[in-house]
Amino acid sequence: MFSFAGQYGGASTRREGAQIRPVTAPHPETWLKVTPSGLFCEPGGFFIDPTRAVDRAVISHGHSDHARPGHAHVLATAETLAIMTARMGEGRAGVAQQALGFGETLVVNGVRVWLRPAGHVLGSAQICMEWQGSRAVVSGDYKRRPDPTAAGFEPEPCDVFVTEATFALPVFRHPPAEAEIARLLRSVALFPERTHVVGCYSLGKCQRLVALLRQAGWDRPIHLHGAHVALCRLYESLGVPLGMLRTATVAKKEELKGAIVLAPPSAVADRWARRLAEPVVAVASGWMRVRQRARQGGVELPLVISDHADWDELLATAEDVQAPEIWVTHGREDALIHALSLRGIRGRALHLVGRGDEEEDTDAAEAPAA
């Protein structure tokens, strides 16, 4: 077992939703330490999203820059454990696994641990910890927009909040995802003889796009690159309906006229896409806000659809969690720390190593290229 045993029955002390930390409570920096392996909860004896194999790991979500193979014991949501196992194989996603649901609490060596939805992908969670009256929350990656495939972000008041900063510049203000899907469908209607191939990450983004297309009324089959098939099947087995899906590689070119194909970003511009019918190349990513990036990638239809919080949402989250101190990791720390200081919030750059951006298709190599 993970050695996370027992349920915690007491209620935390709050006033009007704000966390009250006793004067004698230790500051989180005294017990939550940055190490070469990642953030380490010293009294609890566990790491959060460690970058190398450790004895005990708490994992926020299944993307490869947060979920690494080889840990002895892994604690996460049931969905994240299933995703890790599907991507890494039996035994590599933790010799022993323990699922913790939202609303459940464990006490580990005096540290109270619970998970709150992060809204990033299916099963993604914020790691909440409280020790001797001091509370810290590690967000992992998160977004604040509605997503039919993932539980929505829930702010947790705390003394220290650890936030990502992927899109922490004022230029990044994401439009409604529904509006971007409408742009895609207008293009499909305008070019009925061409295949629209959309580059998107295999975990989270692909399934979200399928669900958004279904919500917009697209009831035709959606074709998938081979790299996307397994995780879509897993999502469906975990209770996320995606409708009729087909593998693009077995479809005839004539069948793909007017169709929508989802593929890894790395595949939409290479020879794989040549099998499609005069493809319209699209990519769904927050980085499509940067026009030069879209042009350099040969993207004809950039879709600004992100699974990360944008600039306004990062600042709104800082207000919602009511933390006097926010630690910033893997992104544009300087701009966010400056903006936080103007709001009376102390910011600190963690400089954690090994954190990337899954929207860059960082682990497409894990999937088959079919």
Side-chain angles (χ1 to χ4, degrees):
M1 291 297 293
F2 191 87
S3 302
F4 276 7
Q7 296 290 325
Y8 183 91
S12 60
T13 303
R14 302 184 191 179
R15 180 180 297 135
E16 296 180 354
Q19 170 69 9
I20 300 172
R21 181 159 59 96
V23 175
T24 57
H27 191 284
E29 68 184 1
T30 66
W31 55 272
L32 191 59
K33 304 294 184 68
V34 176
T35 76
S37 296
L39 275 177
F40 180 60
C41 178
E42 204 165 56
F46 58 86
F47 289 86
I48 300 158
D49 290 350
T51 57
R52 60 185 71 174
V54 299
D55 182 49
R56 292 195 295 175
V58 182
I59 305 298
S60 65
H61 66 284
H63 280 139
S64 62
D65 59 334
H66 291 257
R68 306 294 176 96
H71 307 309
H73 304 86
V74 173
L75 178 75
T77 64
E79 294 85 354
T80 293
L81 292 175
I83 289 167
M84 290 177 65
T85 299
R87 303 190 92 188
M88 301 174 188
E90 291 288 343
R92 299 191 72 233
V95 176
Q97 296 182 341
Q98 184 170 345
L100 187 65
F102 298 129
E104 299 178 350
T105 308
L106 296 175
V107 174
V108 188
N109 298 331
V111 179
R112 190 162 71 98
V113 180
W114 68 103
L115 305 177
R116 294 272 264 177
H120 181 55
V121 298
L122 180 64
S124 62
Q126 303 170 77
I127 315 302
C128 308
M129 299 158 285
E130 188 171 88
W131 184 61
Q132 296 185 359
S134 175
R135 180 177 295 186
V137 175
V138 180
S139 67
D141 289 331
Y142 65 97
K143 70 172 177 288
R144 303 296 301 264
R145 306 294 176 95
D147 181 344
T149 68
F153 180 92
E154 296 179 5
E156 178 73 33
C158 54
D159 301 302
V160 164
F161 181 69
V162 182
T163 184
E164 61 150 307
T166 304
F167 292 111
L169 287 174
V171 68
F172 291 112
R173 289 182 165 93
H174 306 323
E178 294 78 8
E180 298 298 278
I181 292 294
R183 289 180 58 234
L184 170 61
L185 293 180
R186 284 196 298 270
S187 183
V188 173
L190 188 61
F191 301 107
E193 296 299 308
R194 301 178 67 183
T195 302
H196 281 67
V197 55
V198 184
C200 57
Y201 191 69
S202 60
L203 170 57
K205 184 67 64 62
C206 172
Q207 297 78 23
R208 184 186 179 199
L209 290 180
V210 172
L212 288 171
L213 284 164
R214 300 307 187 199
Q215 284 187 345
W218 183 266
D219 57 4
R220 293 168 53 185
I222 296 174
H223 294 77
L224 304 176
H225 184 283
H228 288 355
V229 173
L231 284 173
C232 284
R233 289 174 178 164
L234 178 63
Y235 263 60
E236 291 194 301
S237 74
L238 294 171
V240 180
L242 298 176
M244 190 181 301
L245 303 175
R246 293 180 181 169
T247 304
T249 50
V250 300
K252 297 179 180 178
K253 182 174 286 191
E254 192 69 22
E255 181 185 347
L256 295 175
K257 288 183 177 180
I260 296 175
V261 176
L262 305 183
S266 59
V268 299
D270 71 9
R271 64 181 183 177
W272 179 87
R274 295 175 192 168
R275 73 188 70 191
L276 308 177
E278 298 182 73
V280 175
V281 175
V283 168
S285 168
W287 295 113
M288 291 298 98
R289 172 65 74 185
V290 183
R291 293 181 181 179
Q292 183 179 2
R293 196 159 183 160
R295 286 196 298 268
Q296 289 175 344
V299 179
E300 186 174 348
L301 181 63
L303 301 172
V304 186
I305 302 176
S306 176
D307 289 327
H308 296 267
D310 68 7
W311 175 254
D312 292 330
E313 291 160 347
L314 290 168
L315 295 179
T317 302
E319 296 294 331
D320 290 344
V321 300
Q322 307 168 42
E325 187 168 330
I326 292 182
W327 298 351
V328 185
T329 182
H330 67 292
R332 287 137 185 84
E333 297 101 335
D334 292 346
L336 183 56
I337 288 172
H338 175 69
L340 292 172
S341 70
L342 298 178
R343 291 160 172 75
I345 301 171
R346 180 188 173 198
R348 171 189 170 191
L350 288 190
H351 302 299
L352 289 176
V353 298
R355 293 285 179 261
D357 172 30
E358 72 281 352
E359 298 202 9
E360 295 278 16
D361 200 39
T362 52
D363 61 351
E366 293 181 5

